[in-house]
Amino acid sequence: MKHTQLYIGGQWRDASDGGTFDVLNPADESVLATVASGTVADAKAALDAADAAFEDWRSRTPRQRAEILRKAFELFSARLDHFARIITLENGKARSDAMGEAAYSAEFFRWYSEEAVRAEGHVGMAPSSGARIVVHQKPAGIAVLVTPWNFPAAMGTRKIAPALAAGCPVVIKPASETPLTMLELMPLLEEAGVPPGVVNVLPSRSSGAVVGAMLEDPRVRVISFTGSTEVGRKLLHAAADNVVKPAMELGGNAPFIVFEDADLDAAADGLMLAKMRNIGEACTAANRIYVHEAVEEPFVAKYAERMAKLKMGNGLEDGIDVGPLVNAETRDKVAHFVDDAVSKGAKLRLGGQRPNVKGFYYPPTILTAVPDNAECLQDEIFGPVAAIQTFTDEKEIVKRANDTIYGLVAYLYTGDMRRGLRVSEALEFGMIGLNRGLVSDPAAPFGGVKQSGLGREGGKEGMQEFMETQYISTTW
Ligand code: NAP
């Protein structure tokens, strides 16, 4: 691994106290790299660099910023293999998943190169006074970006691209499990023309202290976080003191509903995507699967056939569908969910045996007849385990699906579009996959309601998180 230091003001440097931490390869538990662990002093240096770069970056024309983002898209697209390899090495996901993530990550640069030139405003007249109302958008200021380990590239580019398009410099703190992909992105951004200080990367094992210190600095105006609801709550508290604008992409507990009139093959394919993309380590992963009683047997048979074909192994090898989970803790939590459900009466249809090999592997697993008190229905499974229950009535299933503190995404399959739209509206989720097992798209507003978050990433909406509306009252 070439880049293992902090990246501040366009320079690579060690942590101010010389501290480091190890990044492991989840496939064999070996040390992949030893990375500098940023301190509070380094966080201050990163903010100084961002502050120094802000004036020039915000003053560039939208077209100039757009051209740089476009170049980043082209360079990234030419290096998908390279980024996919690093993603697999540090996260574990199989090559097909990593290639998918790399392509998705690059697309945010393309989408926001197109959006950079479309920050809209308007001019109107005050109805009573006749004064002119001039409304325009300004970059909000320095943005602190904190990202999780499950999409080491995409969760970063989904924030960096709109921030840069809006004219904001950023300091990004990648997850400690997977900092290497983000560090590797920096030479690419330099080559694309991003000036020093506009993007700074601060890996750190002291995430609470480092991010907390940045939120105390009045120059920081945006905190954009993707991760667990638990950490999101802490950051919202910390952001309150300086009233920093929050964008929060938090946890999910997605229902996946198969009605009796659904195309069962399409639903089984959709569940493969919604459950197994990223080995289930996704906030969008189907977590509670509800199948109408009348079609449970044929649906489960079709789904089990697809799951049984998946090949588990080192994600770098050809033909592998299911790599290891990211770390021992995640693997053990998944195993615990399965054991808990089975001990409470769930039936094991497939998998469920932890292999006795090095690496954090857990096989594709299907549980049916999962009882309501199983822990996996309350918490994110974050692994390749499908927990299936049945239902009989539309109203009842909407109520059960909504019975969670989360509201990120819900999926439903039905052959009746009137029912599909009626149920979609009744579901309290920020995103709905209606006869689709995948909702993520750079052009669409991604985000949740309730305790799944605040704000949206992607789409037109994603740039708004990094902008402030200013209104000028005048007459002429
Ligand atoms: P996490 O534990 O919340 O960590 C996310 C990031 O926050 C990491 O960079 C972590 O740094 C940092 N962090 C941890 N404690 C912190 C603190 N006290 N102050 C500031 N930063 C702190 O989440 P994760 O386990 O990496 O990711 C899985 C979670 O992310 C799941 O809940 C998943 O649903 C959610 N997620 C949501 C979305 C979405 O768009 N809604 C997308 C992907 C993932 P360290 O790594 O150094 O601890």
Side-chain angles (χ1 to χ4, degrees):
M1 291 295 158
K2 236 161 95 189
H3 301 296
T4 55
Q5 290 172 291
L6 314 178
Y7 183 77
I8 297 176
Q11 305 288 320
W12 295 101
R13 53 160 104 166
D14 289 330
S16 61
D17 65 358
T20 58
F21 64 95
D22 289 339
V23 177
L24 300 187
N25 180 345
D28 59 12
E29 306 177 32
S30 64
V31 175
L32 257 185
T34 298
V35 172
S37 181
T39 63
V40 167
D42 296 319
K44 165 100 176 43
L47 290 182
D48 290 344
D51 191 37
F54 187 24
E55 193 49 46
D56 166 58
W57 186 245
R58 72 183 300 176
S59 310
R60 300 203 182 194
T61 64
R63 178 74 73 207
Q64 287 169 334
R65 292 199 294 266
E67 299 289 1
I68 290 173
L69 291 170
R70 176 75 199 190
K71 181 88 178 145
F73 162 69
E74 282 161 10
L75 292 171
F76 204 133
S77 300
R79 295 175 200 172
L80 295 183
D81 271 325
H82 176 66
F83 280 98
R85 188 180 155 76
I86 298 173
I87 291 169
T88 296
L89 280 170
E90 63 177 350
N91 169 278
K93 68 180 74 174
R95 205 187 128 67
S96 52
D97 270 332
M99 282 298 281
E101 181 185 347
Y104 177 54
S105 309
E107 282 298 331
F108 285 102
F109 288 117
R110 171 151 65 177
W111 174 259
Y112 285 107
S113 74
E114 292 158 350
E115 284 301 296
V117 296
R118 309 203 196 293
E120 287 170 0
H122 57 90
V123 179
M125 189 180 274
S128 305
S129 68
R132 294 301 200 283
I133 296 169
V134 181
V135 178
H136 71 131
Q137 303 287 333
K138 296 170 66 171
I142 298 175
V144 170
L145 317 178
V146 183
T147 55
W149 48 258
N150 59 347
F151 292 93
M155 297 302 99
T157 63
R158 193 163 81 170
K159 298 180 190 301
I160 294 170
L164 266 52
C168 299
V170 304
V171 178
I172 180 161
K173 209 240 40 99
S176 298
E177 257 85 6
T178 58
L180 301 169
T181 307
M182 209 28 62
L183 292 169
E184 191 67 20
L185 181 65
M186 294 307 112
L188 182 151
L189 293 183
E190 272 180 24
E191 203 179 325
V194 175
V198 172
V199 180
N200 306 278
V201 191
L202 196 73
S204 175
R205 247 297 160 217
S206 316
S207 46
V210 159
V211 176
M214 288 196 278
L215 288 175
E216 282 171 15
D217 191 306
R219 294 173 296 181
V220 171
R221 298 314 314 147
V222 179
I223 168 76
S224 177
F225 171 73
T226 299
S228 60
T229 295
E230 190 190 342
V231 173
R233 283 190 202 104
K234 286 187 196 164
L235 294 181
L236 281 170
H237 280 288
D241 284 340
N242 280 344
V243 194
V244 176
K245 189 172 171 159
M248 297 278 143
E249 297 291 347
L250 309 178
N253 184 358
F256 187 104
I257 305 168
V258 183
F259 284 98
E260 69 280 18
D261 56 6
D263 174 337
L264 296 186
D265 282 304
D269 289 341
L271 184 56
M272 289 304 290
L273 265 179
K275 178 78 253 179
M276 294 306 294
R277 189 170 75 106
N278 228 43
I279 332 172
E281 291 175 316
C283 54
T284 50
N287 208 62
R288 296 170 292 149
I289 300 156
Y290 301 118
V291 184
H292 193 281
E293 208 175 69
V295 293
E296 189 200 10
E297 249 330 290
F299 175 77
V300 173
K302 285 173 189 293
Y303 182 59
E305 194 188 323
R306 288 160 170 79
M307 285 283 270
K309 281 189 189 144
L310 298 179
K311 210 169 154 211
M312 186 169 75
N314 184 329
L316 284 183
E317 289 167 16
D318 285 343
I320 295 298
D321 308 292
V322 179
L325 295 170
V326 73
N327 55 26
E329 191 191 340
T330 304
R331 188 261 327 267
D332 294 346
K333 197 172 165 195
V334 170
H336 167 77
F337 282 139
V338 174
D339 296 346
D340 167 73
V342 170
S343 75
K344 290 172 178 163
K347 294 199 178 71
L348 197 56
R349 174 79 179 239
L350 182 77
Q353 303 293 326
R354 196 174 129 179
N356 192 15
V357 293
K358 260 208 170 301
F360 309 123
Y361 293 95
Y362 198 86
T365 295
I366 301 178
L367 296 168
T368 58
V370 178
D372 284 338
N373 63 348
E375 288 177 35
C376 63
L377 301 179
Q378 314 304 328
D379 207 344
E380 291 182 289
I381 299 172
F382 246 60
V385 176
I388 300 179
Q389 293 191 303
T390 56
F391 71 96
T392 51
D393 176 70
E394 182 183 307
K395 278 213 170 87
E396 165 223 334
I397 198 54
V398 168
K399 196 158 176 271
R400 280 166 72 190
N402 285 339
D403 185 19
T404 167
I405 61 165
Y406 299 105
L408 187 64
V409 58
Y411 305 90
L412 63 140
Y413 274 76
T414 171
D416 175 354
M417 264 320 221
R418 275 175 37 178
R419 168 188 261 170
L421 291 169
R422 179 172 68 234
V423 172
S424 294
E425 273 193 17
L427 289 168
E428 294 158 1
F429 292 82
M431 300 176 289
I432 305 286
L434 173 52
N435 293 329
R436 297 243 319 142
L438 178 71
V439 293
S440 305
D441 191 304
F446 186 106
V449 299
K450 292 159 73 178
Q451 296 193 32
S452 285
L454 295 170
R456 293 293 180 269
E457 290 192 329
K460 280 199 153 312
E461 292 81 352
M463 218 169 109
Q464 292 299 321
E465 306 294 337
F466 298 96
M467 305 201 85
E468 290 291 0
T469 299
Q470 188 180 51
Y471 140 60
I472 301 168
S473 177
T474 188
T475 54
W476 57 72

